[in-house]
Amino acid sequence: MTVLNDAHPVCRFDLPPHEAEVSAARRKVVAIAVEWGMPAHGDLVDTLRLVVSELVTNAVRHAGVLTPAIVVTVRGTAQGALEVGVHDRHPFCPKALVETVDDDSGRGLLIVKTLVAEAGGYAGIQPDATGGKTVWVCLPLR
């Protein structure tokens, strides 16, 4: 784990773009969140598990061909929240996080957005200069 300073810890790890890595990412992010103060049981950690599963699965399925490694970033905020970002190198931004979905697909991210909002957090997309993007969620630690 990389700690930038005591108030704002950051952990970043790379995953190969394979579906078998989804459960490993989920376990690692949850372990970090619990270490940083999230209760180990309950709705909040269940939401985190679902969110990480969905974001990493989407990166693997939709961007794995263009992405040699999916980068997962977990960081604490000054407001006592946990931010989780999943970066891939595919330029397409999922619609479910930026507008209403009327298609037959994309509902998983819409559910993620709803659950995160119900937990008092938010979700968003940050494009990067290399043509990829990071899908972020922010959840309270408690």
Side-chain angles (χ1 to χ4, degrees):
M1 175 172 65
T2 303
V3 178
L4 296 182
N5 64 49
D6 291 337
H8 307 290
V10 175
C11 180
R12 178 174 285 146
F13 57 94
D14 294 355
L15 302 168
H18 304 295
E19 288 196 27
E21 299 298 323
V22 174
S23 62
R26 183 177 53 242
R27 282 190 306 273
K28 192 167 197 168
V29 171
V30 167
I32 292 165
V34 169
E35 181 181 331
W36 292 355
M38 182 176 281
H41 304 284
D43 291 344
L44 191 56
V45 76
D46 290 343
T47 295
L48 180 62
R49 282 187 185 97
L50 185 144
V51 165
V52 172
S53 294
E54 182 69 21
L55 297 185
V56 175
T57 297
N58 284 351
V60 168
R61 287 187 182 162
H62 302 295
V65 173
L66 298 175
T67 305
I70 294 164
V71 180
V72 178
T73 303
V74 183
R75 64 183 174 212
T77 71
Q79 295 77 28
L82 181 81
E83 292 182 335
V84 178
V86 177
H87 179 268
D88 63 59
R89 293 178 60 187
H90 196 289
F92 177 74
C93 290
K95 288 187 205 178
L97 288 178
V98 294
E99 60 189 48
T100 303
V101 174
D102 294 325
D103 301 329
D104 289 336
S105 64
R107 295 204 190 332
L109 285 178
L110 190 57
I111 291 167
V112 164
K113 184 178 177 181
T114 301
L115 287 173
V116 167
E118 286 176 359
Y122 59 87
I125 302 169
Q126 180 179 5
D128 65 32
T130 65
K133 78 219 165 263
T134 302
V135 180
W136 285 98
V137 297
C138 181
L139 289 167
L141 277 171
R142 300 177 193 270

